[in-house]
Structures are given as C-alpha cells and as structure tokens.
C-alpha cells in the first residue's frame, strides 16, 4: 500500500482472493435429479470439532429417523486432534447412546466429494459459526438441498430460505428436524 499523505490518497496492489468459486463448467453441468439419488441420504461436510456442533446434528437425525426410517447420515471431514480426539470419541459415544449405529457413519476425509454429493439429497450443517463453507458451496453446486442453522457468513450468504434450502434459528433442534422431514425431497416420497 502506498499513500500520498499530502492528499490523503492511497493506492493498493492488493488482490482479493475468493474463498471459493464455481467454474462455468461446474455451473453448466446438469445436476443429478432428486429421484435418481439415494432417498433419505443426508451428508455433513465438516470437521469433527466442538464448533461443528455434531451433538445437535445427531439429535436432529434421531428425530428425523424416527419419522422416516430410510434416512441416513454420512459425516465427511477430519477429526480434531485436540485432547487426543476427544470430540470424535464424544460423537462416537453419542451415536451409540442414541442407537444410531446403523444410521450415522463417520466417513473421514475424502479427496473427491463429487460422487457423494451426486448421491445425497440433503446437506446439513449445525455449526455454531461458519466462515466460508466450501462443502456448502459444493453441495449447492451439485443440487443438494442444504438445511442449516442461520449463522453468519456461509449459511446466511449462500442459502436463500425456502428457495434453495432451509435456514433455521441457531440451536433449534426441533425446527431443524421438522425442516428435514418437510423438505420437498422427503415430502414427495
């Protein structure tokens, strides 16, 4: 940055780098139709960390699965190594306690999410906060319906409520569960 202090004029050679983008090729590629995807397949693309708030997500899936037994959830992302993977251990125990062993799978990191996103119907996020969510952008690009807590940045910036997805007040597990059950994806089956 250079400034001419006598005239209060500054110029910059800084370049803004976007957090994520969709190429023209990706934007123009036909999306897999919902009736060709696995019915009830939900995915979360997130780190297994306290911020991801996966305990809320597990309670949501329990509520939804009680109404629609074919619903399953695959969680993709790295486990936070803090405290010897304490959050992953907590999540695995919650899956057992909620009797979701046959419903929820921790898939870890994968290099290519395209096949996952072409098969899923709903992408869910229950993060406490979010910067720019590349997983959410990828999901929207691939026609996955997002259901998320309305937190600043990614969900609020990328989801238009009741148009391309569903936003729910942060922490409202009952409402986010109802949103999953009543999305056009699950309602039409």
């Amino acid at each position: 940055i250079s400034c001419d202090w006598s005239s209060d004029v500054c110029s910059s050679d800084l370049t803004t780098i976007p957090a994520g983008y969709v190429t023209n090729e990706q934007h123009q590629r036909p999306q897999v139709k919902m009736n060709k995807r696995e019915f009830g397949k939900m995915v979360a693309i997130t780190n297994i960390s306290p911020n991801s708030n996966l305990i809320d997500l597990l309670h949501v899936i329990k509520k939804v699965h009680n109404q629609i037994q074919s619903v399953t959830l695959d969680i993709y992302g790295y486990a936070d190594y803090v405290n010897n993977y304490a959050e992953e251990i907590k999540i695995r125990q919650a899956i057992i306690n909620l009797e979701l062993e046959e419903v929820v799978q921790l898939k870890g990191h994968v290099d290519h999410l395209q096949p996952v996103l072409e098969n899923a119907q709903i992408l869910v996020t229950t993060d406490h906060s979010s910067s720019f969510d590349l997983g959410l952008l990828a999901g929207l690009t691939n026609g996955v319906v997002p259901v998320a807590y309305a937190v600043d940045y990614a969900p609020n910036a990328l989801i238009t409520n009741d148009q391309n997805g569903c936003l729910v007040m942060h922490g409202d597990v009952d409402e986010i569960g109802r949103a999953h059950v009543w999305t056009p994806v699950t309602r039409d089956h």
Side-chain angles (χ1 to χ4, degrees), residues 77-143:
Y78 289 110
D80 188 339
Y81 63 87
V82 173
N83 296 323
N84 287 328
Y85 298 92
E87 190 68 15
E88 180 181 11
I89 293 166
K90 176 179 150 185
I91 296 306
R92 287 187 185 281
Q93 188 59 52
I95 290 169
I96 293 166
N97 293 347
L98 292 167
E99 300 175 344
L100 293 171
E101 299 98 316
E102 302 298 318
V103 179
V104 177
Q105 301 295 314
L106 301 180
K107 298 287 194 171
H109 171 79
V110 297
D111 288 330
H112 302 288
L113 284 169
Q114 189 73 34
V116 170
L117 295 172
E118 289 178 347
N119 188 47
Q121 291 188 316
I122 295 176
L123 182 134
V124 59
T125 177
T126 52
D127 291 357
H128 288 299
S129 63
S130 180
S131 53
F132 193 90
D133 190 331
L134 294 174
L136 180 57
L137 178 63
L140 284 164
T141 302
N142 284 283

Side-chain angles (χ1 to χ4, degrees), residues 39-50:
F39 177 72
K41 175 58 73 184
M42 297 182 187
V43 296
I45 303 169
T46 188
N47 292 333
I48 300 174
S49 69

Side-chain angles (χ1 to χ4, degrees), residues 41-61:
K41 175 58 73 184
M42 297 182 187
V43 296
I45 303 169
T46 188
N47 292 333
I48 300 174
S49 69
N51 184 63
S52 297
N53 196 17
L54 293 175
I55 292 295
D56 272 15
L57 179 53
L58 295 177
H59 286 283
V60 167
I61 294 306

Side-chain angles (χ1 to χ4, degrees), residues 2-93:
S2 62
C3 295
D4 178 355
W5 298 111
S6 62
S7 63
D8 290 334
V9 174
C10 292
S11 65
S12 170
D13 291 328
L14 297 177
T15 302
T16 301
I17 300 172
Y21 64 93
V22 177
T23 66
N24 284 336
E25 178 187 330
Q26 290 170 313
H27 186 67
Q28 294 171 356
R29 185 179 55 239
Q31 295 176 346
V32 176
K33 295 184 185 311
M34 278 296 157
N35 64 359
K36 300 293 183 192
R37 297 169 186 249
E38 184 179 338
F39 177 72
K41 175 58 73 184
M42 297 182 187
V43 296
I45 303 169
T46 188
N47 292 333
I48 300 174
S49 69
N51 184 63
S52 297
N53 196 17
L54 293 175
I55 292 295
D56 272 15
L57 179 53
L58 295 177
H59 286 283
V60 167
I61 294 306
K62 180 71 173 177
K63 289 175 182 289
V64 174
H65 190 262
N66 285 342
Q67 295 179 52
I68 305 171
Q69 280 71 43
S70 59
V71 164
T72 60
L73 170 67
D74 293 340
I75 300 172
Y76 292 88
Y78 289 110
D80 188 339
Y81 63 87
V82 173
N83 296 323
N84 287 328
Y85 298 92
E87 190 68 15
E88 180 181 11
I89 293 166
K90 176 179 150 185
I91 296 306
R92 287 187 185 281
Q93 188 59 52

